[in-house]
Every structure is written in structure tokens, then in C-alpha cells.
């Protein structure tokens, strides 16, 4: 289908984009790589009156060294940019493991990390990965900048903490805790690559027991979530498979598990447990 008519602007700077967005008063939408927004417009599930194409604002594409193992990833960095960044993949190896499984070459070349998390598709991979990495999100509007923790950022299916006049500018990843390893395990919808279940784990070990754990799950509920009951059960336990399996059994605690034509709730819940075990084991295997 052909999208409804819309106005188009391509600002040269972030300030110009923010001014245009404020003037758009809810009827304008930011366009980054277009991999989610344009299909929605073609299906007429979205019909913004104006598109503000931020795709060529170079300052939003940088991947920066924040020192001490922390990394800043500009909102417009594409999946390909991140894969090509030795800094990002060295500091946070889960990115190198997970990104090749996202979409196809076009999606990875055009799709941006900022767009992926602003869109907040419940089956998207990056929300779980960024939750496990304890990311911070930098957000700008005409009235200034704010930095929010990832834990409160995703608020529901396709809903985030972003207001209509705000632009996500950077994703900040803190240094990995000493001795921690990380991994992402997913079961994908074969055609799109979206996760029916995706589990990201960052776990640390000290003196033979688990000293830190962040485990996050996507594709299973309306919104990606931290599996806090899994984390609680893991911390202090030995790294044996019985302890990991016992913790993973809590993968969907407190969640309303989704059911759709790809997978019913029972199957998703079972796969969430299996992939939580696998992600934790793989994270351990990768730990220093
Ligand atoms: C065929 C196909 C397969 C895919 N497979 C996968 C997959 O396997 N796993 C997966 O996780 N994803 C998958 N995706 C989704 C893909 O990851 C996202 O479409 C892409 O990352 C979105 O980024 P974008 O730059 O294209 O965003 P756009 O489509 O340009 O924008 C998406 C939304 O985010 C908003 N937005 C974008 N950037 C900003 C910003 N900086 N600040 C505020 N709002 C912003 C837009 O207004 C819009 O609402 C797939 C997509 C396609 C088309």
C-alpha cells in the first residue's frame, strides 16, 4: 500500500529537529532508519502529518569511549555501525553475539539502535540486551536534556518514557562488572528474525559463586522485563547447572505471557525457562 500524504523535513542539526518537532505538536514523527516506521505508514497503521528525518544528523551517529570500559552509542548508530565498532563490541561482547541475528542485511544497515528502542516492539531484541547491560538513555527536548535508567524506559507494547517533543540522542552502556560474562539466547520467528523468546544475561562470579546478575527477557510479555526473581535466586548460588536451572524456573514470574499465532503462552513460558538457563550458562562460559 501507499502511505497517506505527509510533509517532510530534513533538519541539519539536533536543535533544528527539536524545533520542528515542538512545532509539529503531536502530529510530527521522527524518522531515523525507517525500518519500522515506513512499513507502518505503508500499512496505514501510522499516518503522521509530518516526518522529521533526523537520519543525516552526524552528531547523533557517533560511538564514543566514555572511559573505564563504558561506551556511548549515538541514537542514529545502525546495527552495522555497532558491529563494526571494536570499542562497543570489545566493551560489551553481547552486542557482537546478538546483532548478527537481528533482521537481515538491510535492516542491520539501515535500522538504528535509537529507533529500535524508541519503537519498543515487544519482540525486539535490543530492549532485553540493554536492560541486562544496565544502559542509560539520553533524551533531549527544547527544554533541555535528561538521562534516564533503562529500567523505567519501556512502559508497555510500543510505549516508552519518550514524550512527543523528545528525541533520544544516546544510549550509554556502563562498564561490565569485573569478572562478568554476558550472552544472548533467543528463539526467532524464522521469517522476520524477531524474538519469540529472547534472554540476555550479564552475570559475574567471585570465589566460585555468583556475585552479580542482570537477566532480561523479550518477546514473552507486552514489554521486555528484568527477570528479578531469576537474578535473586542466582546471586550467592554456585554456578552449577542445578542452581542455574532452579533460578531459570522463575523466568516468567509475575508476567502475563503472550499468546499469538507464532507461539502460545504455554510454549513461550517453557522456552523462556530453557533460554534463560542457556543464556546464563553461556554468560558464565564467557566470564573472565
Ligand atoms: C524485515 C524486518 C526484520 C526485522 N527483524 C528484527 C529482528 O530480528 N529483531 C529486532 O529486534 N528487530 C527487527 N526488526 C526491527 C528493526 O530492528 C527496527 O525496525 C529498527 O531498528 C528501527 O530503527 P529505525 O532507525 O529504522 O527506526 P524508524 O523506523 O525510523 O523509527 C521507529 C520509531 O522510533 C521513533 N524514533 C526513531 N529514532 C528516534 C529517536 N532518536 N528519538 C525518538 N524517536 C525515535 C520513530 O519516530 C518511530 O516511531 C526488523 C525490521 C524489519 C523491517
Amino acid at each position: 500500500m501507499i502511505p497517506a500524504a505527509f510533509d517532510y523535513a530534513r533538519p541539519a542539526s539536533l536543535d533544528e529537529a527539536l524545533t520542528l518537532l515542538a512545532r509539529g505538536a503531536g502530529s510530527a514523527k521522527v524518522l531515523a532508519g525507517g525500518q519500522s516506521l515506513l512499513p507502518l505508514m505503508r500499512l496505514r497503521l501510522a499516518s503522521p502529518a509530518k516526518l522529521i528525518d533526523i537520519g543525516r544528523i552526524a552528531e547523533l551517529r557517533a560511538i564514543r569511549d566514555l572511559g573505564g570500559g563504558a561506551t556511548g552509542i549515538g541514537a542514529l548508530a545502525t546495527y552495522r555501525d555497532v558491529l563494526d565498532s571494536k570499542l562497543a563490541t570489545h566493551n560489551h561482547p553481547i552486542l557482537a553475539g546478538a546483532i548478527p541475528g537481528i533482521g537481515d542485511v538491510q535492516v542491520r544497515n539501515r535500522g538504528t539502535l535509537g529507533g529500535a528502542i524508541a519503537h519498543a516492539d515487544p519482540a525486539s531484541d535490543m530492549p532485553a540486551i540493554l536492560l541486562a547491560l544496565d544502559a542509560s538513555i539520553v533524551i533531549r527536548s527544547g527544554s533541555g536534556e535528561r538521562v534516564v535508567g533503562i529500567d523505567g524506559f519501556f512502559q508497555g507494547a510500543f510505549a516508552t518514557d519518550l514524550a512527543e517533543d523528545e528525541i533520544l540522542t544516546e544510549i550509554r552502556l556502563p562498564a561490565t562488572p569485573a569478572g562478568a560474562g554476558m550472552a544472548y539466547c533467543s528463539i526467532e520467528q524464522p521469517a522476520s528474525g524477531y524474538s519469540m523468546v529472547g534472554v540476555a544475561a550479564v552475570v559475574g562470579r567471585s570465589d566460585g559463586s555468583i556475585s552479580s546478575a542482570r537477566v532480561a527477557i523479550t518477546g514473552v510479555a507486552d514489554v521486555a522485563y528484568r527477570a528479578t526473581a531469576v537474578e535473586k535466586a542466582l546471586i550467592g548460588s554456585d554456578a552449577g547447572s542445578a542452581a542455574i536451572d532452579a533460578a531459570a524456573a522463575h523466568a516468567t514470574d509475575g508476567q502475563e505471557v503472550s499468546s499469538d499465532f507464532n507461539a502460545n503462552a504455554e510454549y513461550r513460558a517453557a522456552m523462556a525457562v530453557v533460554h534463560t538457563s542457556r543464556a546464563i550458562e553461556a554468560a558464565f562460559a564467557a566470564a573472565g
Side-chain angles (χ1 to χ4, degrees), residues 29-30 32-37 79 103 107 112 115 124-125 168 192-194:
K29 260 206 157 306
V30 165
Q35 298 301 296
S36 286
L37 184 53
Y79 292 112
V107 170
T112 66
S124 177
D125 296 285
L168 196 162
S192 70
Y194 276 104

Side-chain angles (χ1 to χ4, degrees), residues 63 78-90 93-102 108-109 113:
I63 298 179
T78 62
Y79 292 112
R80 169 52 52 196
D81 292 335
V82 176
L83 271 182
D84 287 346
S85 164
K86 288 198 172 63
L87 175 74
T89 53
H90 172 78
I94 194 171
L95 298 171
I99 289 178
I102 294 179
R108 293 192 295 274
N109 284 349
L113 264 61

Side-chain angles (χ1 to χ4, degrees), residues 96-246:
I99 289 178
I102 294 179
D104 52 27
V105 172
Q106 174 184 307
V107 170
R108 293 192 295 274
N109 284 349
R110 298 285 306 167
T112 66
L113 264 61
I117 64 167
H119 191 56
D121 189 310
S124 177
D125 296 285
M126 285 316 297
I129 294 165
L130 297 183
L131 279 163
L133 288 174
D134 197 13
S136 298
I137 308 300
V138 186
I139 296 168
R140 277 276 301 275
S141 71
S143 46
E145 180 177 286
R146 64 191 179 102
V147 182
V148 299
I150 191 80
D151 280 331
F153 183 74
F154 300 107
Q155 299 187 338
F158 305 102
T160 69
D161 184 33
L162 279 171
E164 279 172 344
D165 64 343
E166 290 182 320
I167 292 180
L168 196 162
T169 57
E170 190 175 50
I171 297 161
R172 291 185 185 152
L173 304 179
T176 305
M182 53 184 75
Y184 184 65
C185 288
S186 65
I187 178 166
E188 297 175 349
Q189 206 284 343
S192 70
Y194 276 104
S195 282
M196 293 190 278
V197 172
V199 184
V202 179
V203 286
R205 182 168 37 186
S206 167
D207 295 331
S209 70
I210 300 178
S211 51
S212 67
R214 283 183 73 98
V215 178
I217 301 183
T218 190
V220 166
D222 261 5
V223 61
Y225 61 93
R226 289 260 309 280
T228 48
V230 174
E231 296 171 356
K232 203 169 155 209
L234 269 182
I235 292 170
S237 71
D238 64 32
S241 56
I244 291 174
D245 287 347

Side-chain angles (χ1 to χ4, degrees), residues 1-9 27-53 119:
M1 273 173 67
I2 298 172
F6 57 88
D7 288 336
Y8 174 84
S27 60
K29 260 206 157 306
V30 165
L31 175 71
Q35 298 301 296
S36 286
L37 184 53
L38 297 183
L40 283 183
M41 290 173 64
R42 291 181 62 141
L43 293 167
R44 302 216 176 185
L45 294 171
S47 302
K50 183 163 193 160
L51 283 189
I52 300 170
D53 183 352
H119 191 56

